Every structure is written in C-alpha cells, then in structure tokens.
C-alpha cells in the first residue's frame, strides 16, 4: 500500500503527487479535494486506480465539452477525437454521459449534416451518403435522413446546373465533363441525363 510522500502544486490547478512506490501522478485540484489527498496518508492500490480514473474522466469530459463548444459531433466522431489521449472505458463513459444530457445526439447531427450536404453544398444522394458514413453515422439513420430529399432531386439538380454549370457548356466535350462532375457530386447518370434532356444545345460543328 503506497504512501503519499509529497503533494505539491505543479502548475495552474494541477498537483504533483509522489508515492512511496516511486510513482508520480498529476491530478487536478478537484480530484485532490474529492479524495481528500494529503501528504503521509496510505492509499490502497485499488484506490490509486480509482483516483487516476476519476481524474482522466474529468479531463476527458472537459476536452469533449471544449470541442463541442466549437461545433457539433456525432458519437463515433467525438470518440475518435478522445481516444487519442484517453482509454476506451473513459471515452465511452464520457460519451454516454454526453448522450444522456443531450449534448451528443446522432439524429440531430445527421439531420443538420444532411441538410448542409444536400441543400447547401448541392451534393447528390450518393455523395452525401458517403460523406455521412465517413463521419461514423449509422447507415440506417443516414438513409432515413437523406430519403427526405429524394423527391426533389431533379429540381435541385436543375437549379445546380443553372447556377453553377450551364455557362461552362460550350461543346460536347464540356457537356460530358459537366455530366461527369455531377456524377462525382453524387447524382446518378439517369438523373443527370433526365435534367439535361430539358435543355437544347446548339453546338457549332
């Protein structure tokens, strides 16, 4: 059972704790006060593990809240951010706490992201789906969110062509380039051809 040989302020709200077994740990003042740590007291090995876990949990929670101050995250995306510095148990505990308190909500995140990708960026279904899956969102949830935009695909595509691509079309080659660009944006060839059937092009030979 190690004894606290030294407990001194390190910097800011961090204290340096030196144990008799040679281990040195750095703890936030909140953790020191919570466990009433003082020089000279004995600490069972299992208590040392609990103290470390509590301090890591606090740090991970603060880090998560800091990240969420700047933008929204889905569960998997934020987990990947945290796992670089904290172990799996701590990450999951923090993420579950955030979900329980409504600070992380995959459905809300997916809804906002879907609107941004489809409406703001003009992505087609397949490109938007790929981008959302890469964030770690559940496939069923992604498909459900994007299904709301399927009915208006052709009208959005026509608007996109008018606004961004029509002026670039001067011959057959440029028309093909535009069509391919739209396919890369996530639209199907059939939808792209359906929209371009609405236009009449008179290219010089």
């Amino acid at each position: 059972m190690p004894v606290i040989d030294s407990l001194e302020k390190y910097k800011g709200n961090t204290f340096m704790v030196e144990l008799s077994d040679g281990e040195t740990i750095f703890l936030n003042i909140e953790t020191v006060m919570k466990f009433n740590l003082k020089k000279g007291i004995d600490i069972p090995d299992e208590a040392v593990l609990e103290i470390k876990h509590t301090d890591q949990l606090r740090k991970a929670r603060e880090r998560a809240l800091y990240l969420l101050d700047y933008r929204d995250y889905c569960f998997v995306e934020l987990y990947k951010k945290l796992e670089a510095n904290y172990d799996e148990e701590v990450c999951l505990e923090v993420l579950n706490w955030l979900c329980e308190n409504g600070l992380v909500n995959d459905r809300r995140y997916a809804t906002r992201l879907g609107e941004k990708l489809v409406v703001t960026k003009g992505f087609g279904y397949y490109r938007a789906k790929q981008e959302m899956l890469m964030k770690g969102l559940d496939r069923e949830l992604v498909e459900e969110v994007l299904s709301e935009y399927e009915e208006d695909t052709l009208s959005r595509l026509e608007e996109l062509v008018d606004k961004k691509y029509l002026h670039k079309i001067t011959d057959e080659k440029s028309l093909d380039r535009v069509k391919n660009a739209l396919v890369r944006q996530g639209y199907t060839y059939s939808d792209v051809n359906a929209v371009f059937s609405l236009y009449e092009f008179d290219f010089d030979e």
Side-chain angles (χ1 to χ4, degrees):
M1 182 184 297
V3 177
I4 295 181
D5 282 343
S6 173
L7 193 158
E8 298 178 354
K9 189 170 184 179
Y10 181 65
K11 59 181 177 181
N13 290 323
T14 302
F15 279 73
M16 181 173 67
V17 182
E18 294 181 342
L19 303 179
S20 58
D21 61 4
E23 183 177 9
T24 299
I25 55 179
F26 296 89
L27 304 172
N28 184 269
I29 187 173
E30 291 182 14
T31 307
V32 172
M33 294 177 65
K34 179 177 180 178
F35 289 91
N36 196 27
L37 301 180
K38 297 177 182 177
K39 181 180 177 180
I41 67 171
D42 299 332
I43 306 178
D45 290 336
E46 60 271 19
V48 173
L49 293 176
E50 183 185 357
I51 290 168
K52 289 180 179 179
H53 177 78
T54 299
D55 200 64
Q56 287 295 297
L57 194 61
R58 184 201 59 79
K59 289 176 182 176
R61 185 180 295 179
E62 281 194 358
R63 175 62 177 165
L65 292 172
Y66 172 81
L67 292 170
L68 288 168
D69 271 345
Y70 288 89
R71 70 173 181 86
D72 205 6
Y73 285 84
C74 66
F75 189 101
V76 171
E77 191 181 22
L78 189 52
Y79 178 90
K80 289 179 179 178
K81 285 281 189 180
L82 295 178
E83 73 170 344
N85 297 299
Y86 308 101
D87 62 37
E88 179 182 359
E89 184 181 358
V90 168
C91 293
L92 290 175
E93 195 169 338
V94 168
L95 263 297
N96 288 331
W97 177 82
L98 292 169
C99 289
E100 289 170 5
N101 287 276
L103 297 171
V104 170
N105 184 306
D106 277 9
R107 179 170 293 278
R108 179 185 65 214
Y109 179 89
T111 300
R112 291 175 177 173
L113 180 59
E115 181 179 12
K116 177 182 177 181
L117 294 173
V118 175
V119 178
T120 306
K121 292 196 170 184
F123 287 171
Y125 176 88
Y126 294 100
R127 175 72 182 278
K129 181 178 179 179
Q130 179 186 39
E131 295 281 338
M132 294 176 76
L133 290 176
M134 287 173 61
K135 295 289 187 181
L137 290 165
D138 177 73
R139 183 177 296 271
E140 270 190 35
L141 176 59
V142 169
E143 291 174 350
E144 179 187 337
V145 167
L146 293 179
S147 67
E148 299 180 15
Y149 298 99
E150 286 184 301
E151 188 176 335
D152 299 324
T153 296
L154 293 181
S155 60
R156 283 198 316 275
L157 182 52
E158 184 180 358
E159 182 180 350
L160 181 62
V161 169
D162 287 340
K163 181 179 180 181
K164 188 175 178 181
Y165 291 100
L166 197 59
H167 70 280
K168 297 181 180 181
I169 301 173
T170 56
D171 53 26
E172 290 288 351
K173 287 186 178 180
S174 59
L175 176 58
D176 288 339
R177 283 197 297 270
V178 166
K179 286 183 177 181
N180 289 332
L182 290 169
V183 170
R184 289 194 296 272
Q185 285 282 88
Y187 296 96
T188 64
Y189 277 108
S190 59
D191 284 343
V192 171
N193 286 328
V195 166
F196 275 103
S197 69
L198 303 174
Y199 299 86
E200 291 186 5
F201 297 103
D202 184 17
F203 300 129
D204 294 331
E205 295 294 334

